[in-house]
Amino acid sequence: MEKTLVILKPCTIQRSLIGEIVSRFEKKGLRLAGMKMIWLSDEILSEHYAHLKEKPFFQRIKDAMSVCPVIVCCWEGVDAINVVRTLTGATNGRNAAPGTIRGDYSMSVQENIVHASDSPETAAIEIKRFFSDTEIYDYKLNNLSSLYANDEF
Ligand code: IDP
Ligand code: MG
């Protein structure tokens, strides 16, 4: 099974949407492998958003990501990286499809509720960026046979 990283952004904490957003991933059938609250530093955000460092909004998104603590989550499931990106929706909340998290809760390209890893390579790097090995738990869900056919996992 795949693991992927999700960050509940400061806008989600400020808008009291933590439970609603976590519940989207839970109800889909993903397994929560790790979760914690952290206050992100400019240094870790520079690394996390390095692909945007030439953009005019680089400092602004880093500032927005550090107005308060965030919640980092590691979710696991079959094809979890794509499943979570699909649930998350398009970057700009105004363009994101209804039914997606950003489509349902965001009016903004910046204040767009969650970060989600976009490939197996970035998921592996991002999980290591925010979690130590002992913070990722490999317990089994006892409802796997209700989530998947036995040749799917
Ligand atoms: P993603 O979050 O959908 O993967 P990325 O292109 O990786 O999108 O951008 C990372 C984050 O940077 C976005 O989630 C959003 O918060 C912010 N961002 C992206 N493009 C813009 C923009 O044009 N203006 C302001 N913020 C942006
Ligand atoms: Mg991205």
Side-chain angles (χ1 to χ4, degrees), residues 49 51 85 115-116 118:
Y49 286 128
H51 61 296
R85 285 291 286 190
H115 164 82
D118 63 8

Side-chain angles (χ1 to χ4, degrees), residues 54-95:
E54 307 304 335
K55 302 282 188 189
F57 53 82
F58 181 55
Q59 188 61 47
R60 204 184 64 204
I61 53 171
K62 290 194 295 170
D63 291 345
M65 287 294 286
S66 54
V67 297
C68 72
V70 299
I71 299 195
V72 289
C73 314
C74 177
W75 292 100
E76 184 192 69
V78 173
D79 300 330
I81 296 159
N82 274 332
V83 166
V84 166
R85 285 291 286 190
T86 303
L87 287 178
T88 295
T91 304
N92 185 336
R94 293 190 297 280
N95 300 333

Side-chain angles (χ1 to χ4, degrees), residues 31-145:
R31 183 182 75 86
L32 187 61
M35 180 183 233
K36 64 180 177 182
M37 180 173 252
I38 44 176
W39 205 319
L40 299 175
S41 65
D42 194 74
E43 188 183 8
I44 201 168
L45 286 165
S46 293
E47 192 181 295
H48 187 65
Y49 286 128
H51 61 296
L52 301 173
K53 67 174 182 295
E54 307 304 335
K55 302 282 188 189
F57 53 82
F58 181 55
Q59 188 61 47
R60 204 184 64 204
I61 53 171
K62 290 194 295 170
D63 291 345
M65 287 294 286
S66 54
V67 297
C68 72
V70 299
I71 299 195
V72 289
C73 314
C74 177
W75 292 100
E76 184 192 69
V78 173
D79 300 330
I81 296 159
N82 274 332
V83 166
V84 166
R85 285 291 286 190
T86 303
L87 287 178
T88 295
T91 304
N92 185 336
R94 293 190 297 280
N95 300 333
T100 65
I101 290 169
R102 288 168 172 170
D104 287 353
Y105 296 101
S106 169
M107 283 292 286
S108 168
V109 63
Q110 175 176 288
E111 306 299 324
N112 61 0
I113 309 295
V114 288
H115 164 82
S117 305
D118 63 8
S119 71
E121 294 72 32
T122 52
I125 292 166
E126 291 177 351
I127 291 164
K128 284 216 172 304
R129 177 171 297 140
F130 296 103
F131 289 99
S132 64
D133 289 349
T134 57
E135 291 172 326
I136 299 295
Y137 296 94
D138 274 332
Y139 65 95
K140 294 274 172 274
L141 284 184
N142 62 15
N143 64 351
L144 272 188
S145 63

Side-chain angles (χ1 to χ4, degrees), residues 19-37:
E20 292 225 20
I21 304 306
V22 170
S23 137
R24 292 288 194 114
F25 297 113
E26 268 191 308
K27 287 178 183 167
K28 179 67 174 171
L30 293 152
R31 183 182 75 86
L32 187 61
M35 180 183 233
K36 64 180 177 182
M37 180 173 252

